[in-house]
Amino acid sequence: MRIINWKSEIKLLLCFLIPALIIDWFFDILPWAILLVVSAYLTWTFLQLRRIHRWLNHESHKPPPYSSGIWGDIFDSIYRLERQNKEEKLRLQAAVDYLRDSFASLDDAAVMVNKRGNIEWSNVAAENLLGLRYPDDTDQQLVNLVRTPEFIDYFESRNYEDPLDMDAPKDPRIKLQVHVTFFGEGSRLMFARDITRTNKLMEMRTDFVANVSHELRTPLTVINGYLETLHDNDISDTDRLKRIVEQMLGQSHRMESLVKDLILLSRLETVPEAMEQHEIDILSLIESIRIEAMASGRGERLITIEGDSAISLMGNMDELRSAFTNLIINAVKYTEEGGHIHVSWYRDKNNAYLEVTDDGIGIDRHHLPRLTERFYRVDTSRSIDTGGTGLGLAIVKHVLMRHQGDLEVNSTIGEGSTFTCVFPLSRTVAQSYTA
Ligand code: ADP
């Protein structure tokens, strides 16, 4: 920074005064001489003030006009301050732009409201979730635009300790959680977050716990009932005793398979991808499942297999076995004795398919979208008869997802069903035979 040049200013004044004193020495007209000097100095000062005024008002973007002495220093100082101000303004503007950009890109709605409750700024998400348009709605009262009564009460209460949960004004299916905080001198910053998915997950979790408890309680109640009968009565009839023990065994097997399915499902959901992946001979796998299904003691059904033994699938043996077993056992369970189940394994130019078709009871079309939900059953009473847990198709869906596959279901009531596992060709391996 330059040091203000007072010396040169005093020199300048002396340049005016010394001639005036010399004139006075010769002509003895001191007052006039002084008046002349002061007027000249004032005029010069006035001219500098005019230049500064003109420069500040019309040309402040340019460097200051040249001037000597103290005025030169003043021009330079003002110019330097002006430049610092501009730089500071640009820096602040950049910080504000940065903050606005980051708020603008938020998935949550963000709204800035001044102390009178008028909107100052809002982001794009605020338009989607709250119906606020920026800049069109600037300066409007927020409560005039978001007219949900519970929101108006909350916003005007000025007590924002707890967030507010409410329906989105534009679409009541969307649930919002609103947070408001004060900042600056009474301004408010409001965030609204879409919590529809979180709410749904919470609901699903609650339903899941309720379902598991119910599924476990039912067989436990039956076992308890039989145990009480055994405890309170002296049963000497061996046939009756055998029936009771059989019933208890059946229920305990039911609990066991439920727990097994739950453990498998939770592993499928939590472990991202099966560690062990091999080339699997699908036809041999299906054949071994067929033998198990025939031996399951569910009565006579014809199970036929057809497929291309040259195509194998890269995947996890245990997971695929469990998925295909569920489909084939389901086909057996939901087909009357003497029915026919056909399993085929083939590929076309798009995908590879494992198809299980039965001519069983079939499923009403409106159940199809929900079949893979956990514990979803078409007919609860019948499922209990068949010993199903309601988790089989959820397991199938997860296993297929982990193999980049998909499950397709076609069914007609009274005619039968087809469950198709669709795999991408990238998962298949074609065997080449040597003669
Ligand atoms: P479950 O253990 O009850 O069989 P799943 O998840 O395997 O549970 O199947 C869900 C429901 O889908 C079953 O309760 C049954 O109503 C229906 N379902 C599954 N497979 C078949 C099929 N092949 N034929 C008719 N209904 C079926």
Side-chain angles (χ1 to χ4, degrees):
M1 190 175 168
R2 263 175 71 181
I3 296 158
I4 289 188
N5 199 350
W6 284 108
K7 271 190 195 151
S8 65
E9 193 61 18
I10 291 166
K11 272 190 212 155
L12 183 76
L13 249 180
L14 288 177
C15 287
F16 283 100
L17 269 177
I18 291 169
L21 289 173
I22 294 171
I23 295 168
D24 170 55
W25 180 269
F26 288 111
F27 304 106
D28 196 20
I29 47 165
L30 183 66
W32 289 110
I34 296 237
L35 188 68
L36 187 74
V37 168
V38 170
S39 305
Y41 186 72
L42 278 180
T43 309
W44 188 76
T45 306
F46 176 75
L47 281 175
Q48 300 309 314
L49 278 175
R50 239 191 84 190
R51 286 174 76 198
I52 218 172
H53 181 256
R54 187 181 305 153
W55 170 62
L56 282 177
N57 282 311
H58 304 294
E59 296 169 334
S60 62
H61 55 283
K62 291 189 189 165
Y66 174 76
S67 187
S68 60
I70 187 93
W71 285 104
D73 287 345
I74 290 174
F75 280 2
D76 285 352
S77 300
I78 292 177
Y79 184 54
R80 208 167 31 250
L81 277 177
E82 182 91 355
R83 253 192 0 222
Q84 275 170 4
N85 263 350
K86 267 189 196 149
E87 277 166 17
E88 188 68 3
K89 218 168 129 185
L90 283 176
R91 212 175 54 74
L92 285 176
Q93 189 59 48
V96 170
D97 289 349
Y98 178 74
L99 273 179
R100 280 196 176 176
D101 281 355
S102 46
F103 278 164
S105 63
L106 281 179
D107 290 336
D108 297 351
V111 188
M112 280 180 192
V113 177
N114 65 16
K115 64 178 172 200
R116 293 185 307 284
N118 296 348
I119 297 171
E120 285 195 327
W121 176 85
S122 61
N123 66 356
V124 180
E127 177 161 358
N128 302 332
L129 297 178
L130 298 167
L132 302 176
R133 285 160 304 134
Y134 179 79
D136 300 10
D137 292 336
T138 314
D139 271 343
Q140 303 255 25
Q141 280 276 311
L142 176 63
V143 288
N144 286 345
L145 298 178
V146 181
R147 299 207 46 80
T148 317
E150 59 217 289
F151 173 76
I152 298 177
D153 290 346
Y154 178 72
F155 191 75
E156 289 183 341
S157 71
R158 295 182 158 261
N159 175 6
Y160 308 128
E161 231 168 79
D162 296 319
L164 167 77
D165 290 355
M166 66 175 205
D167 295 345
K170 279 178 88 178
D171 182 353
R173 283 170 307 175
I174 299 177
K175 307 289 169 217
L176 297 179
Q177 186 162 75
V178 177
H179 292 261
V180 182
T181 43
F182 282 104
F183 73 100
E185 289 171 10
S187 297
R188 279 168 279 183
L189 179 60
M190 179 177 111
F191 286 107
R193 167 167 298 175
D194 181 349
I195 52 162
T196 320
R197 211 176 110 76
T198 323
N199 273 8
K200 186 120 193 85
L201 284 176
M202 299 261 284
E203 248 170 54
M204 278 169 66
R205 203 177 62 175
T206 316
D207 285 356
F208 179 69
V209 172
N211 275 323
V212 171
S213 318
H214 176 78
E215 295 290 334
L216 286 174
R217 211 181 48 210
T218 313
L220 257 183
T221 313
V222 178
I223 293 174
N224 273 346
Y226 282 126
L227 284 175
E228 271 164 25
T229 313
L230 288 177
H231 181 261
D232 297 344
N233 303 288
D234 184 15
I235 299 171
S236 48
D237 180 349
T238 43
D239 281 349
R240 192 169 165 219
L241 204 60
K242 205 171 161 207
R243 273 201 310 278
I244 289 179
V245 172
E246 271 170 10
Q247 291 285 342
M248 288 201 300
L249 257 180
Q251 295 301 328
S252 96
H253 283 149
R254 192 171 148 65
M255 284 204 296
E256 191 189 13
S257 48
L258 180 68
V259 172
K260 266 193 194 157
D261 278 359
L262 279 173
I263 292 171
L264 175 59
L265 199 54
S266 101
R267 191 163 53 78
L268 292 174
E269 280 177 342
T270 45
V271 182
E273 203 181 338
M275 298 290 277
E276 288 197 23
Q277 305 256 344
H278 298 288
E279 205 178 304
I280 294 165
D281 176 354
I282 296 292
L283 279 187
S284 308
L285 175 61
I286 300 169
E287 177 55 29
S288 70
I289 298 173
R290 187 181 77 95
I291 294 167
E292 270 172 40
M294 303 284 274
S296 66
R298 289 175 190 271
E300 262 316 292
R301 277 140 190 105
L302 175 66
I303 305 180
T304 51
I305 299 177
E306 172 192 33
D308 189 342
S309 57
I311 315 164
S312 322
L313 188 77
M314 280 304 290
N316 181 276
M317 181 65 141
D318 292 343
E319 291 184 11
L320 289 172
R321 172 183 284 278
S322 154
F324 299 159
T325 304
N326 270 311
L327 292 180
I328 295 171
I329 294 285
N330 270 355
V332 171
K333 279 193 308 195
Y334 299 106
T335 305
E336 303 290 335
E337 251 193 280
H340 179 204
I341 292 144
H342 185 66
V343 187
S344 53
W345 168 238
Y346 61 96
R347 56 175 276 181
D348 61 17
K349 64 180 186 347
N350 302 315
N351 298 296
Y353 308 88
L354 185 287
E355 211 165 76
V356 182
T357 304
D358 64 61
D359 55 4
I361 58 168
I363 307 162
D364 200 293
R365 155 188 286 272
H366 78 270
H367 291 292
L368 298 184
R370 298 194 59 192
L371 274 193
T372 55
E373 280 177 25
R374 290 179 291 189
F375 296 112
Y376 189 80
R377 289 181 182 124
V378 171
D379 176 350
T380 325
S381 54
R382 199 188 154 88
S383 285
I384 285 171
D385 285 341
T386 57
T389 60
L391 294 173
L393 292 180
I395 290 174
V396 173
K397 184 181 105 178
H398 274 88
V399 169
L400 294 186
M401 264 164 47
R402 287 157 68 88
H403 289 78
Q404 290 80 48
D406 218 348
L407 180 67
E408 288 174 5
V409 188
N410 281 299
S411 190
T412 311
I413 249 203
E415 288 184 17
S417 317
T418 299
F419 287 76
T420 311
C421 307
V422 185
F423 297 97
L425 286 183
S426 54
R427 278 249 162 215
T428 59
V429 185
Q431 308 288 326
S432 55
Y433 296 105
T434 42

